[in-house]
Amino acid sequence: MCKGLTGEEEDGAGGHEAVREIPEVIPIKKMVACVAIWSLADQDRFICTYPAYLNKKKTITEGRQIPISKADENPTATEIQDICSAVGLNVFLEKNKMYSREWNRDVQYKGRVRVQLKQEDGSLCLVQFLSHKSVMLYAAEMIPRLKTRTQKTGVGDQSLQQGEGSKKGKGKKK
């Protein structure tokens, strides 16, 4: 044990103040908690982007943060992550997180993307992204150009044409 804050040892005389003893070794549990908090501090500087911010089907009260004319229909967190990482931003995806205003708990709506805009010294990572909104607008602009989006639309058109042929022979019930 170390000496107390006053630096005096207690000898039992009435004139001295009581000395608090401070343990020399910090328990391991407390040290682990401090290390975990320190590593999370870096992540706290990252901005959070949810797919609802870019969703054309959402209203502003439901969480959309960009104009409808620039928004996309049902973007996913992995699409946002792909776009941000392709442009060179430091990005990581939290798959189990969900936007608080999202009532649908479907896998499609799950996920949060964290993007680093500024470095430790306060300078921007990329000059073209000055704010959270500029990242969201860029992601919304690039999502329709993704290969996964262009392939999905081509397959959907063929299935509609095949479905129309099967309805031809049906008549009204009497």
Side-chain angles (χ1 to χ4, degrees):
M1 296 288 177
C2 298
K3 292 183 182 179
L5 297 175
T6 59
E8 300 176 23
E9 292 184 10
E10 190 174 358
D11 60 352
H16 293 98
E17 295 179 14
V19 177
R20 292 184 358 198
E21 294 182 358
I22 303 171
E24 290 180 9
V25 179
I26 299 172
I28 293 174
K29 289 181 182 177
K30 289 184 181 179
M31 284 178 44
V32 171
C34 293
V35 171
I37 290 171
W38 179 77
S39 65
L40 290 175
D42 293 336
Q43 297 174 6
D44 288 341
R45 286 198 318 266
F46 287 27
I47 60 165
C48 295
T49 303
Y50 291 95
Y53 294 172
L54 313 175
N55 196 343
K56 186 179 270 189
K57 291 184 174 182
K58 301 279 182 195
T59 63
I60 289 176
T61 56
E62 290 174 339
R64 182 177 41 83
Q65 294 189 358
I66 59 174
I68 289 180
S69 61
K70 297 181 180 180
D72 294 318
E73 192 170 313
N74 295 328
T76 62
T78 53
E79 291 173 336
I80 298 169
Q81 179 197 18
D82 291 343
I83 288 169
C84 292
S85 62
V87 80
L89 289 169
N90 188 9
V91 177
F92 66 94
L93 175 66
E94 297 172 326
K95 291 182 180 180
N96 294 328
K97 297 292 183 179
M98 245 184 119
Y99 188 51
S100 58
R101 294 185 199 172
E102 184 63 56
W103 58 271
N104 191 347
R105 300 291 179 206
D106 192 19
V107 176
Q108 176 185 2
Y109 300 105
K110 282 190 175 185
R112 173 172 72 185
V113 180
R114 296 197 120 187
V115 182
Q116 183 180 10
L117 284 184
K118 296 183 179 180
Q119 297 173 355
E120 289 181 15
D121 61 353
S123 63
L124 294 172
C125 292
L126 291 176
V127 180
Q128 66 186 26
F129 300 115
L130 301 174
S131 65
H132 186 192
K133 191 165 188 172
S134 64
V135 173
M136 289 189 295
L137 290 171
Y138 179 78
E141 179 185 337
M142 297 305 288
I143 284 175
R145 298 180 189 171
L146 286 173
K147 289 182 181 178
T148 55
R149 286 285 176 125
T150 56
Q151 290 172 356
K152 285 180 183 177
T153 55
V155 172
D157 293 339
Q158 293 173 356
S159 64
L160 288 175
Q161 292 172 356
Q162 292 174 356
E164 292 173 350
S166 63
K167 293 181 181 179
K168 214 174 207 183
K170 291 186 177 181
K172 292 184 180 180
K173 290 184 179 180
K174 292 184 181 180

